[in-house]
Amino acid sequence: EVEVGPIRDAVLHAVEGGLSWSEICLSLGWESKGYPDTSRLKRRLGITTQPGPNGPERQVHIRTDTAAEIVRAVGIAPMDVGL
């Protein structure tokens, strides 16, 4: 696992540059009921909370392989974010 901060920053930079959350999810193949699962992406990046045993929690770590998939989906080489 790696800290999610650099991954989140890379994605936010891509979104500010014009890439949509939906486009990123479609690149990842993350869909729910036929729609891009933007909630899943935002939970993985620690932007929104997810249910935890003691109430809502923000993700602070992410699996290395998932992090690499996400940054590739926004056109960034994993090594450029320290993976």
Side-chain angles (χ1 to χ4, degrees):
E1 290 192 338
V2 296
E3 289 189 22
V4 74
I7 312 309
R8 178 180 50 242
D9 293 346
V11 171
L12 290 173
H13 183 72
V15 169
E16 289 169 1
L19 193 60
S20 75
W21 293 100
S22 294
E23 290 171 317
I24 299 167
C25 289
L26 292 174
S27 293
L28 291 164
W30 290 4
E31 295 181 38
S32 177
K33 300 179 183 175
Y35 295 95
D37 195 351
T38 58
S39 295
R40 177 181 175 186
L41 178 57
K42 290 176 181 178
R43 284 191 308 272
R44 293 293 171 270
L45 296 173
I47 294 170
T48 58
T49 59
Q50 54 192 2
N54 299 316
E57 298 177 343
R58 289 194 190 279
Q59 189 159 336
V60 293
H61 292 93
I62 189 169
R63 287 177 29 175
T64 305
D65 61 329
T66 303
E69 289 177 29
I70 292 171
V71 296
R72 282 188 198 107
V74 298
I76 298 172
M79 67 179 177
D80 290 343
V81 290
L83 299 177

